[in-house]
Amino acid sequence: MARPIPSSTIVSIAAFFTLLATGCGIGPVSTSSSSASGLAMKGEVFGGQQPVVGSHIYLMAANTTGYGNASLSLLNAATTGQSDAIGAYVLTDSTGSFSITNDYTCTAGAQVYLYALGGNPGLAAGSTNSAAGFLATLGTCPASGTFASTVPFLNVNELTTVATAYAIAGYAVDATHVSSSGTAAATAGIANAFANAASLVDVSTGAALSQTPSGAGTVPTSTINTLGNILAACINAGTPDGSASGACSTLLSAATSDGTTSGTVATDTATAALNIAHHPGANLSALYDLQAATAPFAPSLPTQPNDFSIGLVFTGGGLASPSAIAIDDAGNAWVSSFYGPITEISNSGKFLSGNSGFTPATLKYSYGIAVDGLGHTWVSSYGGGTSNDGHIIEVSSTGTLLNDYSTSVFGPAGISVDGNNNVWTVNSASSGVSGQRNGVVQITQSGTITAFPTYNTTSGYSAQFPLYVVNDASNNVWFAGNGESAEVGELNFAGTANANAPYTTGEVTTADALPNGMAVDHSGNVWIANYYYSGAVSGSLVELAADGTLLSGNNGYTNSAQYPAAPAVDGNNTIWYFNAASTQFALSQISSTGTLLTPANGYSGNATMTNVAGSAIDSSGDIWAADFSTNQVVEYLGVAAPVITPMASAIAQNSVGVKP
């Protein structure tokens, strides 16, 4: 267990002010803020159960001038009297304690973290371990310039390092390169990322949590402890100065920048933790076996896991067979449930919609959900699947009912919003007005409703019983169904079918193929998850160009695509999806050209999912998954590249598949 904190410890953190950082590789700090003298920020650094003596304590802020840039050093070398290539620092004493009483910088809204490097973690007198690196998040610098009310005594250890690494992985290259663009979307995304560290570990005690602070989400405590034990093997049992032998050598060479032997080797345990967060399925045996027989953190995983991904698992909040997820501009996840209400979950794991969710009167059997560029959420209400029981419901950001549309809506399923904030849905009812059941419906922001029949003279309906609909940056609408033809249709904004549609080439049109989700990438290519195909393979991913050209071959991409579902595109234009290649549904990643980027068994996120119905990626790089059968939503922390949210805004900016 983590070392307890003395009850007599009192912390106050005062206003930061602006100074210039020193040392090569660290970017300049803005001098636009007024300066103030910081009150004492106190804490201690422990490697396992050992105090780390003489560790360099740096105070850093995320750079907002572009991705991959160096973090900003906040301490003032003139007052600390000590600096190096990273920046100014203070030292831990013989008990591992530190106190920052010097002037330091913080611009309101900046994301601040602590980085500790080196020192003696219980080695022979006079020895140090240069590979001993630790992280802890302080979070958003408030306008008042003080963290006193939000950051307690800092117990910095391997667990705070793991929590920080996974939370901010979407914006971090290594321990000294945490950065983003300065856009509003990136500002929101990186703020949410920093805040999520507190969902995993209590920085005041240095102990892993079992539930998120709100109590809404379950935290994988054993996985976090296991990762902490892996880092401790280098910190406590490593050779002096992190030399090229022993546990440090194994850890740093296994936790490379790309998860392979060709990647850049980590130089310290903090960067190693970030690399593991980026590639949680790499070198599992080498990492897991590093733990000491008597490890410092318990409980830990009793056996080697499928992967080291970290997922927060949400149940309750009205979730009842969750069917789809959409992310708003604040990074909150909106979830539709087939048998329940609308549930809103904050990025840090709080049910913003209360314990019972939002419950519009006409909501019944929901398949789809989407957020428009105005912050309104749209939900499909399938109803009874008859000619007069379907609804499209529009609610405000607080869940207040704004509009309820039922004209030309017959058993609506999937729903999406284009770049002009027009809403599109597909009718899947077995009865209704001829040409409108199995049709596409558009609802403009002014409330005008237009139904487009999807007849095709060759095969009847071009997408019988359509369930999924997506928009591209050219304002085309794509849809797919899982009826007898299982075809993919494409209409332009005016509702005219593409000359080559419906698309009838490849496995996507095989009678027993069942499309189970769609996504559009930055090139305008459309990805369809074929959940099932009774031929030589059990499902595949199909990629179509904007003109319907099949890019994935006649059988689609079949590598690690056992019953694939719920594809989504991240900020690096790679495709994430869920598959049953292992004993449960797991998260996999594929490049835009079909190369599998994750291990065959994918990432489990420490959750058991059996029927993933929808997914979405947020502006922190977290992937959210809705499991229909287990009534849970899982948030995979930091595995993907951040995206612009909501999707309607990304489409409007032609920035699908691009970082914010």
Side-chain angles (χ1 to χ4, degrees), residues 282-344:
N283 301 315
L284 294 172
S285 295
L287 294 171
Y288 182 81
D289 292 343
L290 279 172
Q291 298 176 91
T294 304
F297 304 109
S300 59
L301 297 172
T303 59
Q304 179 181 309
N306 177 75
D307 60 276
F308 284 120
S309 61
I310 289 180
L312 300 176
V313 180
F314 301 99
T315 56
L319 295 173
S321 293
S323 56
I325 298 181
I327 310 296
D328 66 18
D329 61 352
N332 301 324
W334 291 76
V335 187
S336 59
S337 284
F338 190 72
Y339 295 112
I342 304 167
T343 302
E344 182 185 8

Side-chain angles (χ1 to χ4, degrees), residues 135 160-174 200 223 227 230-231 251 254-259 266 269-282 284 287 307-311 576 587 589 597-599 603 605 620-623 636-641:
L135 298 168
T160 65
T161 303
V162 170
T164 300
Y166 275 76
I168 70 173
Y171 288 93
V173 176
D174 55 38
L200 303 178
T223 298
L227 289 164
I230 290 169
L231 300 184
L251 171 64
T256 62
S257 60
D258 66 358
T269 53
T271 295
L274 282 163
N275 290 344
I276 296 171
H278 290 145
H279 305 283
L284 294 172
L287 294 171
D307 60 276
F308 284 120
S309 61
I310 289 180
W576 294 83
L587 179 63
Q589 180 188 23
L597 301 176
T598 49
Y603 303 148
S620 298
D622 304 338
I623 298 181
Y636 290 74
L637 296 186
V639 294

Side-chain angles (χ1 to χ4, degrees), residues 327-389:
I327 310 296
D328 66 18
D329 61 352
N332 301 324
W334 291 76
V335 187
S336 59
S337 284
F338 190 72
Y339 295 112
I342 304 167
T343 302
E344 182 185 8
I345 311 173
S346 73
N347 186 273
S348 57
K350 180 180 180 181
F351 287 126
L352 300 178
S353 50
N355 292 331
S356 301
F358 301 129
T359 56
T362 58
L363 184 62
K364 182 180 181 181
Y365 305 145
S366 179
Y367 276 112
I369 193 166
V371 178
D372 66 24
L374 304 176
H376 301 166
T377 297
W378 297 75
V379 184
S380 64
S381 178
Y382 183 84
T386 65
S387 60
N388 59 359
D389 204 16

Side-chain angles (χ1 to χ4, degrees), residues 3-384:
R3 183 177 181 274
I5 294 173
S7 59
S8 61
T9 300
I10 300 175
V11 180
S12 70
I13 302 172
F16 288 127
F17 72 104
T18 304
L19 295 166
L20 291 178
T22 61
C24 63
I26 302 299
V29 179
S30 168
T31 58
S32 60
S33 301
S34 60
S35 62
S37 181
L39 300 179
M41 181 192 304
K42 297 181 181 294
E44 56 188 11
V45 180
F46 267 65
Q49 301 299 329
Q50 301 297 322
V52 183
V53 181
S55 179
H56 292 197
I57 305 297
Y58 306 93
L59 202 61
M60 315 289 285
N63 193 317
T64 59
T65 61
Y67 293 95
N69 289 337
S71 303
L72 306 178
S73 176
L74 304 181
L75 290 175
N76 181 7
T79 50
T80 66
Q82 301 169 109
S83 64
D84 56 20
I86 295 174
Y89 60 86
V90 298
L91 293 168
T92 55
D93 63 19
S94 60
T95 67
S97 299
F98 65 88
S99 178
I100 298 175
T101 58
N102 308 286
D103 294 339
Y104 46 91
T105 290
C106 185
T107 301
Q111 299 304 316
V112 182
Y113 67 102
L114 185 145
Y115 176 40
L117 182 64
N120 187 337
L123 303 174
S127 298
T128 60
N129 186 349
S130 61
F134 303 86
L135 298 168
T137 55
L138 278 70
T140 303
C141 175
S144 64
T146 175
F147 283 98
S149 63
T150 57
V151 177
F153 181 92
L154 299 171
N155 192 321
V156 182
N157 62 14
E158 292 90 343
L159 301 187
T160 65
T161 303
V162 170
T164 300
Y166 275 76
I168 70 173
Y171 288 93
V173 176
D174 55 38
T176 60
H177 289 77
V178 181
S179 62
S180 71
S181 70
T183 66
T187 299
I190 197 169
N192 286 337
F194 268 72
N196 236 345
S199 295
L200 303 178
V201 169
D202 183 345
V203 74
S204 68
T205 65
L209 301 175
S210 59
Q211 289 186 310
T212 58
S214 69
T218 301
V219 180
T221 309
S222 295
T223 298
I224 296 170
N225 286 337
T226 299
L227 289 164
N229 292 334
I230 290 169
L231 300 184
C234 169
I235 292 169
N236 293 126
T239 54
D241 300 313
S243 60
S245 62
C248 280
S249 176
T250 301
L251 171 64
L252 301 181
S253 60
T256 62
S257 60
D258 66 358
T260 72
T261 56
S262 63
T264 302
V265 175
T267 58
D268 71 295
T269 53
T271 295
L274 282 163
N275 290 344
I276 296 171
H278 290 145
H279 305 283
N283 301 315
L284 294 172
S285 295
L287 294 171
Y288 182 81
D289 292 343
L290 279 172
Q291 298 176 91
T294 304
F297 304 109
S300 59
L301 297 172
T303 59
Q304 179 181 309
N306 177 75
D307 60 276
F308 284 120
S309 61
I310 289 180
L312 300 176
V313 180
F314 301 99
T315 56
L319 295 173
S321 293
S323 56
I325 298 181
I327 310 296
D328 66 18
D329 61 352
N332 301 324
W334 291 76
V335 187
S336 59
S337 284
F338 190 72
Y339 295 112
I342 304 167
T343 302
E344 182 185 8
I345 311 173
S346 73
N347 186 273
S348 57
K350 180 180 180 181
F351 287 126
L352 300 178
S353 50
N355 292 331
S356 301
F358 301 129
T359 56
T362 58
L363 184 62
K364 182 180 181 181
Y365 305 145
S366 179
Y367 276 112
I369 193 166
V371 178
D372 66 24
L374 304 176
H376 301 166
T377 297
W378 297 75
V379 184
S380 64
S381 178
Y382 183 84

